[in-house]
Amino acid sequence: MKHARLADTRISEIRDSFGAQTLMQTFGAELREVTPGQVEITAPILPGFLQQHGFAHAGLTFSVGDSAAGYAALTLMPEGADVLTAEMKINLLAPASGERLIATGKVIKPGRRLFVVGAEVAVEKEGTLTPVALLQGTMVPT
């Protein structure tokens, strides 16, 4: 998908919106890259975010993947628009054991009323990336 460069004002709107998400703040997540139709979010795997086997909780994986996919959709929506998740599915591929999660959200098919999106989430451990989840869903402009 080829799109024009995002306006600085739109990138600023997206960064401000992400900064207002208190859950992402709690996770220590960062909005790393914002390009038309694609967004990358990283989150450290901290001791408070583990499940009973010591892996990153799937709730963390889902949350960063969902946000990455939603903000990817927002990059292709008109300025002033916002975005909400209508539905999202996750396939967990492997346990997330490492230092941080990296979620890359992408727009699969933009539309006027619905955006089909996806996200790939990988765990970084000692410089190696391992895919841990795939998400697919639908976003709606608000």
Side-chain angles (χ1 to χ4, degrees):
M1 209 183 294
K2 194 170 190 165
H3 297 280
R5 181 183 169 283
L6 283 175
D8 290 340
T9 55
R10 188 61 174 150
I11 293 172
S12 182
E13 281 182 352
I14 290 168
R15 289 195 179 280
D16 288 348
S17 175
F18 181 82
Q21 285 199 8
T22 57
L23 184 63
M24 291 295 113
Q25 292 170 19
T26 298
F27 288 154
E30 294 180 32
L31 183 61
R32 300 294 298 255
E33 293 184 27
V34 179
T35 58
Q38 185 168 314
V39 164
E40 182 182 282
I41 295 173
T42 63
I45 300 174
L46 301 174
F49 306 147
L50 305 178
Q51 46 87 294
Q52 72 276 17
H53 299 290
F55 304 121
H57 196 284
L60 173 65
T61 303
F62 183 88
S63 294
V64 295
D66 175 58
S67 287
Y71 283 111
L74 190 57
T75 66
L76 301 183
M77 294 178 185
E79 284 194 33
D82 212 335
V83 65
L84 286 173
T85 303
E87 58 87 25
M88 185 66 69
K89 175 195 185 320
I90 187 170
N91 289 104
L92 297 167
L93 308 173
S97 177
E99 294 94 38
R100 70 181 178 146
L101 295 177
I102 301 170
T104 304
K106 298 179 181 178
V107 174
I108 297 168
K109 184 178 184 306
R112 238 182 46 230
R113 293 181 178 221
L114 300 173
F115 281 67
V116 177
V117 295
E120 297 176 7
V121 183
V123 66
E124 183 177 30
K125 184 174 186 176
E126 298 173 359
T128 300
L129 293 178
T130 302
V132 295
L134 294 173
L135 291 85
Q136 183 174 321
T138 308
M139 300 291 165
V140 293
T142 61

